[in-house]
């Protein structure tokens, strides 16, 4: 089914964010695991996998609309050197995604593509949940202090995303 170029462009914009987020969260998971912050590493690993599912859905929709998925486009991947920076960088990227999906929904409605509108609406909700998580972590750090926050994020070494030799 031939889709609107405007809609395909909006979908590719979302794909760019999803592909960036996969990499951002994956490296943050590996870094947290290396630091012994296994619970936080597990969260970032699960976010990376969730973003991969999102990317797959967006790619499938682009292909359904007979478009070409732009898989080589990325935003800058801002690797956080500390857990605080990692949370802030994730929040920043999720907010970019939130704006992109809101704009994409408008384009889809204008172009009469309710299937894409529905997909982007679902992805927007999940993006908003990620924004909420990051904002809550930042607030928690303010309330209990960084050291207490990090102490609560050590968890168990058996979490997903641990290196082969760590599990």
């Amino acid at each position: 089914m031939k889709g609107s170029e405007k809609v395909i462009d909006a979908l590719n914009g979302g794909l760019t964010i999803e592909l960036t987020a996969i990499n951002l969260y994956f490296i943050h998971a590996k870094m947290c695991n290396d630091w012994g912050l296994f619970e936080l590493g597990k969260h970032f690993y699960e976010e990376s996998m969730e973003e991969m599912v999102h990317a797959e859905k967006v790619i499938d929709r682009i292909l359904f609309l007979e478009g070409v998925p732009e898989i080589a486009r990325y935003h800058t991947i801002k690797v956080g050197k500390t857990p605080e920076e990692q949370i802030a960088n994730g929040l920043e990227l999720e907010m970019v995604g939130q704006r992109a999906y809101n704009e994409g929904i408008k384009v889809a409605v204008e172009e009469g593509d309710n299937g894409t509108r529905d997909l982007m609406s679902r992805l927007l909700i999940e993006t908003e949940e990620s924004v909420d998580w990051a904002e809550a972590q930042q607030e928690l750090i303010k309330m209990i202090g960084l050291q207490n926050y990090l102490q609560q994020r050590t968890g168990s070494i058996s979490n997903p995303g641990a290196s082969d030799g760590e599990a």
Side-chain angles (χ1 to χ4, degrees):
M1 180 180 118
K2 186 68 177 159
S4 157
E5 285 301 316
K6 290 179 183 177
V7 169
I8 293 168
D9 286 345
L11 284 164
N12 270 315
L15 181 58
T16 297
I17 294 159
E18 301 298 350
L19 294 173
T20 304
I22 291 167
N23 289 283
L24 178 72
Y25 289 132
F26 186 77
I27 192 60
H28 285 172
K30 299 306 269 183
M31 291 171 76
C32 284
N33 287 339
D34 186 59
W35 296 330
L37 298 170
F38 300 110
E39 183 182 309
L40 191 56
K42 178 182 178 188
H43 172 80
F44 286 136
Y45 181 81
E46 289 171 352
E47 280 288 323
S48 178
M49 295 301 109
E50 181 179 288
E51 303 297 355
M52 192 173 295
V53 171
H54 293 174
E56 180 179 30
K57 289 177 181 178
V58 174
I59 288 169
D60 288 346
R61 186 68 185 173
I62 292 168
L63 292 172
F64 175 76
L65 297 174
E66 299 179 21
V68 176
E70 299 288 336
I71 62 166
R73 293 185 344 191
Y74 290 87
H75 284 285
T76 302
I77 299 171
K78 296 181 179 178
V79 178
K81 295 177 184 168
T82 67
E84 283 181 291
E85 285 180 16
Q86 292 175 347
I87 292 166
N89 294 349
L91 175 60
E92 181 183 333
L93 184 59
E94 294 292 350
M95 292 178 81
V96 170
Q98 187 178 27
R99 286 189 298 274
Y101 283 127
N102 274 314
E103 288 300 314
I105 290 166
K106 289 178 189 174
V107 170
V109 168
E110 289 167 3
E111 296 294 308
D113 185 340
N114 289 317
T116 298
R117 177 200 46 81
D118 182 54
L119 172 62
M120 288 189 164
S121 293
R122 285 182 276 133
L123 295 174
L124 174 62
I125 289 168
E126 292 185 26
T127 298
E128 289 172 341
E129 290 168 355
S130 294
V131 167
D132 185 56
W133 180 87
E135 289 174 341
Q137 302 315 294
Q138 289 178 327
E139 195 59 35
L140 191 56
I141 290 168
K142 286 179 190 171
M143 288 190 305
I144 67 173
L146 180 62
Q147 296 307 317
N148 289 329
Y149 176 82
L150 294 177
Q151 185 177 14
Q152 293 178 353
R153 299 300 176 259
T154 56
S156 167
I157 198 165
S158 63
N159 287 330
S163 299
D164 291 333
E166 295 176 343

